[in-house]
Every structure is written in C-alpha cells, then in structure tokens.
Amino acid sequence: MINQNQFTEDLNHLIGTLENHPLYNEINSLKRLRFFMERHVYAVFDFMSLVKNLQQEIAPANSYWVPPKNNDLARFINEIVLSEESDITDDGRHMSHFEMYCHAMSEVKADADFPFHFARHFMMGELSNPDIPKPARKFMRHTFSTIEQGKLHQIAASFCFGREKCIPPMFKALLEKMNIDEQSAPMFHFYLKRHIDLDGDSHGPLAMKMIAELCGNDESKWHEAKEAAKSSLKARIQFWDDVLAEIREV
C-alpha cells in the first residue's frame, strides 16, 4: 500500500524553500514589481498548457463524444479549466487567469503586450526567442519538456506539486513580504488572493486525488510521479533564484 502522507512529506522541504524564498522581500518598488511580472507572466502562460494537456487525456474534446474513463477526474480537470480559462473578476468580467495577469501588468505599466502577443501566436520555436527573459525561457523549457516527454501521472504530479500545492504558501508569502499595497496594484492582489483561495481550498487537494487515481497501487508510477514533482519544484526554485539575481541589479 502506498503511503500518500510520506509521498507529500518528502516534497514539503522544497515547497518550504519556495515559501521562504528571499525573492519576495526584494519586490519592494513598482519598478521591481514590473520587472518580476515581466518574467513571472510566462509561468502563468505555460501553466495552461499543463492543464489543457491533462484535459485532453482525461476529458478529450473530439468530433464525437464518448464517456470519460474516469468521471471524477473528468469533473476535476474540467473545473480547473473553467476557472483558469474563464474566471470572474471582482467587477464581473470573464477572462482567463493569463489575461487577468496581463491586465494586472498594464495597471502597473509593465509590458503586457509582448507576452500577450507571444501567447496568441505561440509555437515551440518561440521558446528560444531572445526577447523573452532568460529565466522564463529556462522555466518554460522544463514545463514543455514535461508535457512532451512525461507520462500522464508525471504530468499530473508536475501540475499538482509544481503549481497547485506550492502556489498558496508561495503567494501568501509574496503578499506578506512584498512592499506593494493593494491600491498600487489592485488586479495583481486580486490574482494572488484568487489563487490562494482556489488552489488551497479546492484545486490542491483534488490534484492530489488525481495523482492517486492515476498511480493506483503501482509503486513504480508513484516513484515516477515523485521524481516529476521534485523536478518541477526544483525548476520553480531555480526560476526564482534566477529572477532574484537579476532583480537585485534593478
């Protein structure tokens, strides 16, 4: 029998590293917030490719409908896509979280036009575009390598731990430590709080359930899932390390 608590505990130190990363304290001016957002926006973008890849495997959209193999997983991934692709803002508009982030960038006069254009016209070759900040290019390469080469349970583990499980403590720490108040960046604060609520209360626990469904009692799958989770968490830590090294020059 697989000990799921042990599986999670073995990853907690990496999540803790993200929660306590020194980057958050360095976001202490609007200039530095703009710098951070112009890099982080690409992690918001490639998250959707992880989500849509899982949806295509678990609840595929084809010309002819067939019942999903696992109704619980289909419900979960469709709920994720609904909230990520067409959430409701505090003023009643519908938009994806990526678009929400781009709006937040525009509020603080960060360059949202380039990442938005990049997302609209994305092709794999664009990952080498030198106009994309180097830390973001490196992070996206890891994400798309996972999507292209990983098995379904490995992609699910990357999604769960590299995103859903680590985001609530990470964004809470960012809200507490950055020196940017809500009046200065209202949409950015809304974006962070929305993810803390969604991922902490709902998406995180359900994502862990998805891993359990996909791995079952197969110890080799659980091992592969853990290694994928570790790799994704380490990629996020490296991303933050690289941004930190750059932001200290701003």
Side-chain angles (χ1 to χ4, degrees), residues 232-248:
S232 293
L233 286 165
K234 288 177 180 177
R236 173 72 78 160
I237 292 168
Q238 185 63 58
F239 185 27
W240 273 186
D241 288 346
D242 292 342
V243 174
L244 176 63
E246 290 186 345
I247 206 170
R248 284 176 170 165

Side-chain angles (χ1 to χ4, degrees), residues 168-213:
M170 189 170 68
F171 282 3
K172 283 178 183 176
L174 182 55
L175 277 173
E176 291 170 2
K177 296 177 182 179
M178 71 177 185
N179 189 32
I180 309 295
D181 61 29
E182 189 167 359
Q183 187 175 358
S184 300
M187 183 65 86
F188 185 57
H189 276 257
F190 177 81
Y191 172 88
L192 295 178
K193 291 174 182 177
R194 183 68 174 143
H195 277 79
I196 290 168
D197 292 341
L198 279 175
D199 298 342
D201 296 340
S202 175
H203 293 177
L206 287 172
M208 190 64 215
K209 185 177 180 181
M210 177 170 59
I211 295 176
E213 291 279 351

Side-chain angles (χ1 to χ4, degrees), residues 37-108:
M37 294 180 79
E38 286 168 358
R39 283 141 184 82
H40 181 228
V41 65
Y42 295 97
V44 180
F45 161 74
D46 73 1
F47 169 81
M48 279 307 302
S49 292
L50 275 174
V51 173
K52 297 297 279 189
N53 185 270
L54 288 168
Q55 185 186 40
Q56 182 57 33
E57 294 295 326
I58 293 169
N62 297 309
S63 299
Y64 303 99
W65 180 81
V66 294
K69 294 178 182 178
N70 186 310
N71 290 320
D72 289 337
L73 290 185
R75 171 68 184 230
F76 165 61
I77 198 64
N78 285 334
E79 283 185 359
I80 292 281
V81 171
L82 177 65
S83 61
E84 292 290 340
E85 209 165 37
S86 53
D87 204 0
I88 304 174
T89 64
D90 58 353
D91 60 359
R93 290 177 290 167
H94 291 87
M95 65 178 69
S96 69
H97 285 176
F98 174 76
E99 292 170 294
M100 195 182 294
Y101 199 91
C102 287
H103 276 274
M105 292 175 71
S106 296
E107 279 186 344
V108 298

